[in-house]
Amino acid sequence: MMLRRAFALSVVVALSLGTALADSSSRPGETTTSLNGATATVAFSPEGQGQALIVHAIDEANRSVLVQAYGFTNKSILRALVQAHKRGVNVKIILDKSNKSRRYSGATYVYNAGIPVWIGYRPAIAHNKVMIIDGKNIITGSFNFTKSAQTRNAENVLLIQNAPELAIAYMSDWEWRKGLSKRYQGVIGTN
């Protein structure tokens, strides 16, 4: 665990040494930084480009999308994950226990589409907001995958592209979290 933290810290320090690019193709409210072939794009909300950045990254996925989420109600993100699954991308999702409900939810929606879902019960809150795409791109930040994150809350999304070494650390954590989670079986009566 200490190695995982040290690696993450060194990557954050390394990325912070990059130079911000003045790219006229960047959307307003975004900054892109490059370091050793990796790029980092940040977007802010409310009413910023966070949702669009996430949906676009999912739409570009070719092989896999691993998700760890606390809030999971943003319809555009949910639809993008289902569409990725339908085009053959291996999508797997771990959600906080607050997503297990007797009512239809985002967890139910993706589960009914055939996407494997696990519910994390330990530790107290699974507060991650992470996607690992194609083993090399990472989405993280404070942005919950919810409508409120896009329209009401002050949030940030960080997309780090072409960073396979960093993705390995996130995939390792994803597998560890999955091992502590239980397979979601949907809501009775909605299948």
Side-chain angles (χ1 to χ4, degrees):
M1 178 130 148
M2 187 61 114
L3 177 61
R4 195 179 316 166
R5 282 190 181 145
F7 179 75
L9 180 59
S10 68
V11 171
V12 169
V13 170
L15 282 173
S16 69
L17 297 175
T19 304
L21 302 175
D23 181 356
S24 61
S25 68
S26 289
R27 290 172 279 218
E30 292 183 359
T31 301
T32 302
T33 301
S34 179
L35 178 70
N36 296 332
T39 61
T41 305
V42 63
F44 302 95
S45 65
E47 300 301 337
Q49 295 299 318
Q51 175 183 295
L53 187 65
I54 293 167
V55 168
H56 181 72
I58 295 167
D59 289 347
E60 294 290 312
N62 293 310
R63 295 186 323 271
S64 63
V65 179
L66 301 176
V67 179
Q68 289 187 67
Y70 177 70
F72 197 62
T73 60
N74 184 298
K75 290 178 183 176
S76 296
I77 293 170
L78 293 169
R79 280 193 295 266
L81 289 167
V82 168
Q83 288 304 311
H85 171 72
K86 286 180 179 178
R87 67 175 191 273
V89 175
N90 185 11
V91 179
K92 297 179 183 176
I93 300 170
I94 301 171
L95 300 172
D96 178 70
K97 64 184 169 284
S98 61
N99 289 275
K100 185 161 174 48
S101 167
R102 292 178 190 227
R103 297 186 330 211
Y104 196 89
S105 66
T108 311
Y109 177 76
V110 295
Y111 171 82
N112 286 345
I115 297 173
V117 178
W118 289 264
I119 301 292
Y121 292 92
R122 295 181 300 157
I125 297 175
H127 213 246
N128 287 311
K129 298 103 171 155
V130 174
M131 292 186 191
I132 308 111
I133 300 173
D134 293 340
K136 64 180 181 176
N137 303 328
I138 302 104
I139 294 172
T140 192
S142 67
F143 195 98
N144 281 302
F145 305 134
T146 64
K147 180 180 179 183
S148 291
Q150 177 63 25
T151 61
R152 294 180 27 199
N153 301 339
E155 305 274 359
N156 71 83
V157 177
L158 180 63
L159 169 62
I160 304 167
Q161 294 176 288
N162 198 28
E165 297 85 7
L166 182 59
I168 289 169
Y170 274 96
M171 288 185 293
S172 174
D173 184 71
W174 192 95
E175 289 294 338
W176 178 66
R177 298 291 331 140
K178 179 183 150 204
L180 297 173
S181 302
K182 294 181 182 174
R183 191 75 182 253
Y184 180 68
Q185 299 299 319
V187 176
I188 297 173
T190 62
N191 294 340

